[in-house]
Amino acid sequence: MSERIYCRRDEAAKILQVSCATIINWVKQGYIKEYRIHKSTKSPLYNIKEIEETLKNPKA
């Protein structure tokens, strides 16, 4: 079974051991991206692999 790449904000925060507010701030600052499957989707999704890579190689 393959590992999930996208997850909800609360799941991303738990995996990355930060708060949901931190995830929101990172998006506002352009540090990470959020994705929506449909325009009507209320809950954005986050790519964990992408966030982990950003954290490993931050842009100064």
Side-chain angles (χ1 to χ4, degrees), residues 23-49:
I23 299 289
I24 293 168
N25 287 333
W26 286 350
V27 171
K28 286 180 182 178
Q29 295 170 0
Y31 194 59
I32 62 172
K33 296 180 198 174
E34 62 182 18
Y35 299 90
R36 294 182 191 271
I37 295 174
H38 299 287
K39 290 180 183 178
S40 63
T41 304
K42 290 183 181 181
S43 298
L45 299 175
Y46 301 89
N47 183 323
I48 294 299
K49 300 278 187 206

Side-chain angles (χ1 to χ4, degrees), residues 6-26:
Y6 292 92
C7 61
R8 295 185 324 257
R9 182 181 299 138
D10 60 331
E11 295 171 324
K14 186 175 181 179
I15 291 167
L16 299 168
Q17 298 178 346
V18 297
S19 69
C20 287
T22 298
I23 299 289
I24 293 168
N25 287 333
W26 286 350

